[in-house]
Amino acid sequence: MKALITGASSGIGRDIAYELAGRGCDLIVSARREERLLALKEKIPTNVRIIAADLSKQEECLRLYEETQEEDVDILVNNAGYGVFGAFNETDLSQEISMLDVNIFSVHILTKLFLKNFIRKNNGFILNVASSAGFMPGPLFASYYASKAYVLRLTQGIREELRKAGRNVYIGALCPGPVNTEFNATAGVQFGMNGLSSEYVAKYAVKKMFCGKTVIVPGAVMKAAHFFSKLLPDSIVAKMAYAVQKGKQGK
């Protein structure tokens, strides 16, 4: 099998690359930082192709797709993404738009294009990296939470379309809580609780993907939090989320 992984230069994307390679998959890895991808390639025992791309640009998403059409891609992992922290009226608009381009539009574009390929051959896997943030409103992280809700709901909607059509194509959403990655530094925050290791999240995600799980929530704490959040009104969840976000330290 062959997998294309975006945002593969660090964190969950990097560790999903290790996990899939450990299962014998050849890889196409993509990120902005080519030097990180070169370092990753040296540590992977299977065949690895590097495509540096900035997925905040639509033309780069389309180029990534076009450059892989000679490859028989079986797995797409949409992992690229980041967050912008702060009150909505204070955060930088251009930074937020770039974030939305990566978190939403790159996922939308690549999912649509590769899904068509997978439907044609009636086989394939798409794993979209969302977040537990997608389950709730996120004051002080409003646009990030909203972007992950889009990824989650898009994935669930497509999954039902595939099921009703009897397609042998998988799509699922990985929804972790805090994970120990570079996300903190990029967003300018510190988590108020200990995060899971990206290695654990990657291993769990790949296992559940191959088992056909649609919404993948690693860790007992986040599973419990997700369950109880469904029992509470959104207004209460928003107040709780605000208290959690307020406890994070900005740069």
Side-chain angles (χ1 to χ4, degrees):
M1 299 181 79
K2 183 172 291 186
L4 167 61
I5 305 168
T6 71
S9 61
S10 64
I12 295 172
R14 175 200 62 202
D15 289 319
I16 286 178
Y18 288 141
E19 180 64 21
L20 288 173
R23 291 170 176 257
C25 293
D26 292 332
L27 304 178
I28 305 170
V29 292
S30 182
R32 291 182 298 109
R33 298 173 292 188
E34 187 173 17
E35 69 281 0
R36 291 280 192 95
L37 297 176
L38 289 168
L40 174 66
K41 182 177 180 177
E42 292 179 358
K43 299 177 181 178
I44 289 180
T46 57
N47 294 321
V48 180
R49 180 183 174 190
I50 292 171
I51 304 178
D54 180 356
L55 298 186
S56 67
K57 301 173 182 177
Q58 179 176 330
E59 60 270 22
E60 289 283 273
C61 299
L62 297 174
R63 178 177 67 83
L64 178 59
Y65 172 74
E66 291 298 334
E67 289 194 13
T68 60
Q69 290 315 287
E70 297 301 318
E71 313 269 4
D72 187 17
V73 174
D74 303 289
I75 303 168
L76 169 66
V77 180
N78 280 312
N79 172 71
Y82 65 97
V84 176
F85 179 79
F88 186 74
N89 65 301
E90 296 176 356
T91 46
D92 181 74
L93 179 59
S94 61
Q95 189 179 13
E96 280 188 313
I97 289 173
S98 179
M99 181 201 71
L100 296 174
D101 284 337
V102 176
N103 291 10
I104 292 178
F105 291 108
S106 74
V107 173
H108 187 111
I109 291 167
L110 293 173
T111 295
K112 179 177 283 288
L113 295 175
F114 278 96
L115 182 66
K116 290 176 180 287
N117 289 0
F118 294 164
I119 286 175
R120 278 194 290 270
K121 64 180 184 179
N122 199 33
N123 188 53
F125 297 81
I126 298 175
L127 180 64
N128 291 329
V129 178
S131 169
S132 60
F135 297 132
M136 64 190 78
L140 300 181
F141 238 154
S143 55
Y144 173 75
Y145 274 53
S147 72
K148 292 305 183 179
Y150 182 92
V151 173
L152 174 60
R153 296 310 186 193
L154 178 72
T155 300
Q156 290 175 310
I158 295 169
R159 174 68 187 103
E160 181 61 14
E161 292 175 1
L162 293 170
R163 189 188 71 80
K164 293 293 285 186
R167 308 286 190 187
N168 185 37
V169 177
Y170 165 89
I171 188 167
L174 172 60
C175 298
V179 181
N180 296 323
T181 69
E182 293 179 356
F183 178 92
N184 303 27
T186 302
V189 299
Q190 293 180 355
F191 291 134
M193 59 184 290
N194 292 329
L196 297 172
S197 72
S198 58
E199 295 89 350
Y200 170 80
V201 171
K203 186 178 293 290
Y204 186 85
V206 170
K207 175 183 176 182
K208 293 299 182 180
M209 177 182 74
F210 285 130
C211 289
K213 182 74 172 175
T214 302
V215 179
I216 303 169
V217 182
V221 172
M222 290 315 304
K223 283 185 173 69
H226 176 43
F227 173 79
F228 286 110
S229 71
K230 292 189 291 185
L231 304 179
L232 298 172
D234 284 347
S235 59
I236 300 299
V237 174
K239 290 178 181 178
M240 295 170 64
Y242 182 87
V244 170
Q245 303 300 345
K246 192 67 175 176
K248 297 177 178 179
Q249 298 175 355
K251 288 183 178 178

